[in-house]
Amino acid sequence: MTAFIARRAVAAVVILALVSFITFAIFFLVPRLAGASADDLASRYVGKTAGAEQVHERAVQLGFTDPVYVQYGDFVKGIFAGRDYDLGGPAPEHCPAPCLGFSFIDQNPVLPDLLDRLPVTLSLAAGAALIWLISGVGVGVLSALRRGTVFDRAAMAVALAGVSLPVFFTGLLALSVFSYTLNIFPPGSSYTPLLENPIQWAYDLILPWVTLAFLYAAGYARLTRAGMLETMNEDYIRTARAKGLPERTVVLKHALRSTLTPVLTIFGLDLGLLVGGAILTESTFSLPGLGSYTVQAISHNDLPKVLGVTLLAATFVVIANLVVDILYAVIDPRVRL
């Protein structure tokens, strides 16, 4: 088991290194290949009245005049050892490791901004994931066991609606009905830190949780139902029943355990991507998380912020996949081989 985890950990490090290089190349190398000069890149981050000399000074300050491999080396150095940045002040600004650089727009360090917004996104992703995993898998199992009944048809109809309706539609509809009409839940942009008031924290996030979970739970219900229908016809299930095992044991210990393998796969990917930023949900409910931070960074063409969000999202996806690989070995010992 230790060797299995070690192999997956090494693969995760290699993937993160490749993601960092490819992401950096997209932002800094591709424009050069398209014919853009260092001054062309720097012109986005100066005033409209700036002259050619000011634009060139800004290009030198941002490091655009250096070769791309030097820029990437400085970026990697900042992650592991920190680095100094020329922000136009009397002395260079030191950014301690791990350093993801400074914003080209407001010149704030990127990593502290990400860490300030991360608890919001983590709260949203964790709560919604718990709801959609329990409800989606539970509904899928019940639908498979009651195939063809009214419950099965109704559950799959709701699941189809959940998969089809976008988050910004269900979110705005939920806000309109439950927040602004019935006044049951707080309005958009409401968020209380967990440590400040746990009850208010959960109350503020109930509507975003349910809205986001409705989208994902639908897919999990359909996937679980299909897997359970296939598994319940396997020979080992008939053998377990022939032994006289209780139906609950047959379903939960034998059938469901086999069905969870594909569910774990998409759960790891979904959760990792959500932690990287639930853009639509956070924008709909005006939550100050990584999703809204990403939208602002893209709209202002702030490359360090976009690069930081991309690497953070990739890190969570890789970690989620690593955890899923380990859970594979726990659920199915054959994977260890």
Side-chain angles (χ1 to χ4, degrees):
M1 189 65 174
T2 303
F4 175 82
I5 296 176
R7 290 196 303 270
R8 293 297 187 271
V10 171
V13 172
V14 173
I15 291 174
L16 284 178
L18 289 175
V19 168
S20 69
F21 176 77
I22 294 173
T23 306
F24 194 90
I26 291 174
F27 290 136
F28 294 94
L29 179 60
V30 172
R32 295 290 186 89
L33 296 178
S37 65
D39 289 354
D40 292 334
L41 295 176
S43 63
R44 306 171 183 174
Y45 309 109
V46 294
K48 295 182 179 180
T49 60
E53 183 177 350
Q54 292 175 304
V55 172
H56 183 70
E57 289 179 358
R58 184 63 169 163
V60 174
Q61 179 184 346
L62 296 177
F64 291 158
T65 55
D66 296 331
V68 175
Y69 67 87
V70 174
Q71 296 180 51
Y72 181 69
D74 290 339
F75 177 74
V76 174
K77 176 186 174 183
I79 295 177
F80 293 100
R83 57 176 296 198
D84 295 330
Y85 283 85
D86 181 11
L87 301 180
E93 187 79 21
H94 180 70
C95 181
C99 176
L100 297 178
F102 285 80
S103 165
F104 287 166
I105 304 299
D106 54 30
Q107 297 187 343
N108 290 328
V110 173
L111 185 60
D113 284 347
L114 294 177
L115 296 180
D116 286 342
R117 292 172 175 265
L118 184 59
V120 181
T121 303
L122 282 176
S123 300
L124 176 63
L130 182 63
I131 294 174
W132 89 56
L133 186 62
I134 294 176
S135 60
V137 173
V139 170
V141 171
L142 291 177
S143 294
L145 297 178
R146 301 177 181 179
R147 181 181 182 182
T149 62
V150 175
F151 175 84
D152 179 32
R153 297 180 184 277
M156 290 304 101
V158 173
L160 180 60
V163 172
S164 304
L165 296 176
V167 170
F168 59 82
F169 173 79
T170 54
L172 291 177
L173 182 63
L175 281 173
S176 176
V177 174
F178 296 105
S179 294
Y180 300 116
T181 302
L182 300 178
N183 294 320
I184 298 176
F185 297 109
S189 74
S190 300
Y191 177 76
T192 303
L194 173 62
L195 298 179
E196 181 177 319
N197 189 335
I199 297 178
Q200 187 65 38
W201 166 80
Y203 178 66
D204 289 341
L205 289 175
I206 287 179
L207 212 55
W209 282 344
V210 174
T211 302
L212 186 58
F214 180 61
L215 172 66
Y216 285 91
Y220 282 66
R222 294 170 65 89
L223 180 63
T224 304
R225 178 182 181 274
M228 284 293 294
L229 289 176
E230 181 180 355
T231 303
M232 294 300 288
N233 292 323
E234 295 289 341
D235 291 337
Y236 69 90
I237 297 297
R238 287 192 288 267
T239 302
R241 285 172 170 164
K243 289 181 178 180
L245 294 178
E247 186 66 15
R248 180 178 180 180
T249 303
V250 173
V251 172
L252 297 181
K253 185 176 181 180
H254 296 279
L256 181 59
R257 186 173 183 179
S258 176
T259 307
L260 284 179
T261 302
V263 172
L264 276 177
T265 302
I266 63 170
F267 180 72
L269 292 173
D270 289 342
L271 185 59
L273 290 172
L274 272 184
V275 173
I279 296 177
L280 290 178
T281 306
E282 291 182 5
S283 299
T284 301
F285 289 92
S286 301
L287 296 175
L290 292 176
S292 57
Y293 182 84
T294 303
V295 172
Q296 295 172 8
I298 294 175
S299 62
H300 292 92
N301 202 20
D302 201 341
L303 298 184
K305 288 184 177 181
V306 177
L307 183 60
V309 171
T310 303
L311 291 179
L312 185 63
T315 301
F316 280 115
V317 171
V318 169
I319 292 175
N321 282 327
L322 178 61
V323 173
V324 167
D325 286 339
I326 296 173
L327 292 177
Y328 276 165
V330 174
I331 293 177
D332 189 353
R334 295 173 298 178
V335 177
R336 305 175 194 174
L337 301 177

